[in-house]
Amino acid sequence: MGTTKEVIKKAAINLFYKKSYFATAMSNIALDSGIRKASIYHHYASKEDILFDILMTTMEELNAYIDSCLKGVENIENQMRAAIRAHVKFHCDHQKEVLISDSELRGLTANNFKSFVAQRDAYEKKFQDMITKGMDQGYFATGDAKVISYAILTMCTAVAHWFNPRGRLSGNQISTMYEELVVSRLLRESLPLNFFETSVLEE
Amino acid sequence: MGTTKEVIKKAAINLFYKKSYFATAMSNIALDSGIRKASIYHHYASKEDILFDILMTTMEELNAYIDSCLKGVENIENQMRAAIRAHVKFHCDHQKEVLISDSELRGLTANNFKSFVAQRDAYEKKFQDMITKGMDQGYFATGDAKVISYAILTMCTAVAHWFNPRGRLSGNQISTMYEELVVSRLLRESLPLNFFETSVLEE
DNA sequence: GTCTATAGCGAGATAGAC
DNA sequence: GTCTATCTCGCTATAGAC
C-alpha cells in the first residue's frame, strides 16, 4: 500500500488519467485515498504540486531507465535497438503517467514547466544524437534527422495510447515489434530516407 | 470574420488548445469573442455543446477530406500514398482541432462520446482495410496489420504535436516526407514486417 | 497527521429587460 | 441577439482543534 503520500499520488495518477487534471477535484483524490481533502495539504502544498511530482518523477525514471538500458551497449545499431525497446517498454509499463505527461503540461506554472521541459529535452536529445551519429557514421540511411527523430519518438510514445495491459500482446512483445520496425527502416541497406531532396514539391 | 457562432467556435478552439477544455471558462470564450458569456447560450446549449461541435465537425471534415483525396485513385500503393498524404496534411492544417480531438474526449458525456468514436472508428477502419488488403494482395510486406496500422496512424497524427506553421517545413513538405517514409517501409521489396513470429520473445 | 468548518472565489447556467 | 444581474454550486486552500 505504501505511505499516505504514495497513496495520494497513486490516486491522483488514476484520476488525472481518467478525468484529466483540471476536471479532478482535491475531494476526488481525497475520497480515493481514504482521507479528507484538507489532509492532502499536509503532504502536498497544492494540487499543482501533485501534478509536478507525478510528471518529474516519471521523467526522471524514464531518463534513468534508458541510461541503464544503454549501459555497455557498444555499436550504434544495438544502441538504437536498446533505446527503442526501453522507450516502448517504459511507455507500456507507465501508461497512465506518460499520458498525463503528454497532455497535462498546461497545468504547470512557468518554473515547474521549465524544469519538466529541461528533463524532457535531455531525454529526446539522446535519440536525436543517436540518429545523427548513425547517419554521420554511415550506419543509417541519411535524411532529415530532426523529422526522422520526431517520427520515431512520437510513434513509440503513442503506444501508450493504444496499449492494453490485458490485451493480446505484452509490453515486451510490442517493444520487440517496434524495435524491428524502426531499426530495419533506418539501416543503410533499406531505401534512402533523404526522399525529401528528390521529391517534387508542390509549393 | 464570420457569424457570431463561428467567432465563438474559433475562440473556443484557441482556448481549448492553449488552456485545455476544463481550464477554459465560458467567460474566457466570451471575452475572446467580444460578447458577454450569457450571449453564448443563445448559440450553444452548454460548454460541452461547443466542444462537441468542434470535435464532430473536425472528424466529419477529416472523413470527407480523405474520401475526396482517395476518389479515383486506383492501385493500393497509390491509395496508401494518398491516404497518408491527406492525413498528415489535414493534421498540419487543422492542428489545434485535432489536438483537442486527441486529448479532450473526456469532456464528452456518454452519447456524444459514442457519436464521436463512431466517426473516428470509421476513419481508422479505412487505413486498416487498406493495409490488410495490401498485405493480402501481396503488395505490402506481411505482419501484424493491427499493430502496423496503429504505428502508422499514430506516427502521422503526432505531426500535429510538433508541426510549426511558421517553421522550416510546410505541411505539404512534411506530408511528402511521411508518404515516402511509410510507403517505402510497407512495400514488398523492403524487409519483412512479420518480424514478430521470428523474434525471440522474453515472456 | 488527520480532522471539521469555512473562507473566498469563480464556475456554468438562467431570468428577464431591451 | 445581446445585455445586466443573479442563482446555485463546487472549487482550492486555510484555520485551528485534537
Side-chain angles (χ1 to χ4, degrees):
Chain A
M1 197 72 182
T3 66
T4 303
K5 188 167 182 175
E6 285 165 354
V7 171
I8 293 168
K9 189 174 175 180
K10 192 153 208 163
I13 290 170
N14 285 321
L15 286 163
F16 293 169
Y17 167 72
K18 193 161 62 180
K19 294 161 63 91
S20 92
Y21 171 67
F22 287 109
T24 299
M26 292 299 260
S27 57
N28 301 142
I29 300 172
L31 188 69
D32 286 10
S33 305
I35 53 173
R36 304 288 159 171
K37 65 176 173 175
S39 307
I40 295 176
Y41 291 90
H42 178 75
H43 304 277
Y44 286 102
S46 65
K47 187 179 159 188
E48 187 195 338
D49 195 28
I50 305 177
L51 177 64
F52 186 61
D53 184 22
I54 295 168
L55 296 179
M56 281 306 277
T57 56
T58 301
M59 205 63 231
E60 283 160 8
E61 279 175 34
L62 177 58
N63 264 306
Y65 182 60
I66 199 166
D67 286 346
S68 78
C69 290
L70 283 172
K71 203 169 186 177
V73 179
E74 286 291 341
N75 79 65
I76 190 76
E77 181 192 330
N78 285 336
Q79 281 171 8
M80 199 68 213
R81 282 184 182 278
I84 297 292
R85 188 174 193 78
H87 184 90
V88 174
K89 187 65 167 44
F90 189 92
H91 280 69
C92 289
D93 290 346
H94 302 79
Q95 201 172 15
K96 291 173 187 173
E97 292 91 327
V98 298
L99 286 176
I100 295 168
S101 305
D102 236 31
S103 59
E104 304 294 5
L105 298 188
R106 292 165 294 184
L108 295 179
T109 43
N111 280 344
N112 284 342
F113 181 76
K114 271 184 205 157
S115 301
F116 177 85
V117 170
Q119 281 275 329
R120 193 187 58 183
D121 286 351
Y123 178 78
E124 291 180 353
K125 194 169 180 306
K126 289 172 188 165
F127 279 83
Q128 285 186 22
D129 287 350
M130 224 179 285
I131 291 167
T132 307
K133 197 172 147 198
M135 287 180 177
D136 289 349
Q137 296 185 351
Y139 292 106
F140 296 162
T142 53
D144 192 315
K146 262 216 145 56
V147 173
I148 302 289
S149 78
Y150 292 158
I152 291 173
L153 261 183
T154 56
M155 181 177 86
C156 295
T157 297
V159 170
H161 277 279
W162 59 265
F163 174 63
N164 177 2
R166 290 164 301 286
R168 175 169 60 96
L169 300 166
S170 71
N172 272 331
Q173 287 173 326
I174 294 168
S175 70
T176 300
M177 297 172 89
Y178 271 68
E179 175 194 332
E180 281 301 318
L181 190 58
V182 170
V183 173
S184 73
R185 184 64 192 83
L186 271 181
L187 284 182
R188 252 195 143 236
E189 51 268 36
S190 67
L191 298 174
L193 282 167
N194 58 340
F195 42 77
F196 179 52
E197 286 81 5
T198 61
S199 291
V200 179
L201 299 178
E202 289 178 358
E203 45 178 17
Chain B
M1 197 73 181
T3 65
T4 303
K5 188 167 183 175
E6 286 165 352
V7 171
I8 293 168
K9 188 173 175 179
K10 191 152 209 162
I13 289 170
N14 284 321
L15 286 164
F16 292 170
Y17 166 73
K18 193 161 61 180
K19 292 162 63 90
S20 92
Y21 171 68
F22 287 109
T24 299
M26 292 298 262
S27 56
N28 301 144
I29 301 173
L31 189 69
D32 286 9
S33 306
I35 53 173
R36 305 286 160 173
K37 67 174 176 175
S39 308
I40 295 176
Y41 291 90
H42 178 75
H43 303 278
Y44 287 102
S46 65
K47 188 179 161 188
E48 187 196 338
D49 195 27
I50 305 177
L51 177 64
F52 185 60
D53 184 21
I54 294 168
L55 296 179
M56 281 306 277
T57 57
T58 300
M59 205 61 233
E60 282 160 8
E61 278 175 35
L62 178 57
N63 264 305
Y65 183 61
I66 200 166
D67 287 346
S68 78
C69 290
L70 283 172
K71 204 169 186 177
V73 179
E74 287 291 341
N75 79 64
I76 190 76
E77 181 191 330
N78 287 335
Q79 282 171 8
M80 199 68 214
R81 283 185 181 280
I84 296 293
R85 189 174 190 78
H87 184 89
V88 174
K89 187 65 166 46
F90 189 92
H91 279 69
C92 289
D93 290 346
H94 301 80
Q95 202 171 15
K96 291 174 187 172
E97 293 91 326
V98 298
L99 286 176
I100 295 168
S101 304
D102 237 32
S103 60
E104 303 295 4
L105 298 188
R106 293 165 295 184
L108 295 179
T109 43
N111 281 343
N112 284 343
F113 180 76
K114 272 184 205 159
S115 301
F116 176 85
V117 170
Q119 281 273 329
R120 194 188 56 183
D121 287 351
Y123 178 77
E124 292 181 352
K125 194 170 180 304
K126 288 170 189 166
F127 279 82
Q128 285 188 21
D129 287 351
M130 224 177 287
I131 291 166
T132 307
K133 198 171 146 195
M135 287 179 178
D136 289 349
Q137 295 184 352
Y139 292 107
F140 295 162
T142 53
D144 191 314
K146 263 215 144 59
V147 173
I148 303 289
S149 78
Y150 291 158
I152 291 174
L153 262 183
T154 56
M155 181 177 86
C156 295
T157 296
V159 171
H161 278 279
W162 59 265
F163 174 64
N164 177 2
R166 290 164 302 286
R168 174 170 61 97
L169 300 166
S170 72
N172 273 331
Q173 287 173 327
I174 294 167
S175 69
T176 301
M177 299 172 87
Y178 272 68
E179 176 194 330
E180 281 299 320
L181 190 59
V182 170
V183 173
S184 73
R185 185 63 192 83
L186 271 181
L187 285 182
R188 252 193 142 238
E189 52 269 35
S190 67
L191 298 174
L193 282 167
N194 58 340
F195 42 79
F196 180 51
E197 286 81 4
T198 60
S199 290
V200 179
L201 298 179
E202 288 178 359
E203 47 178 17

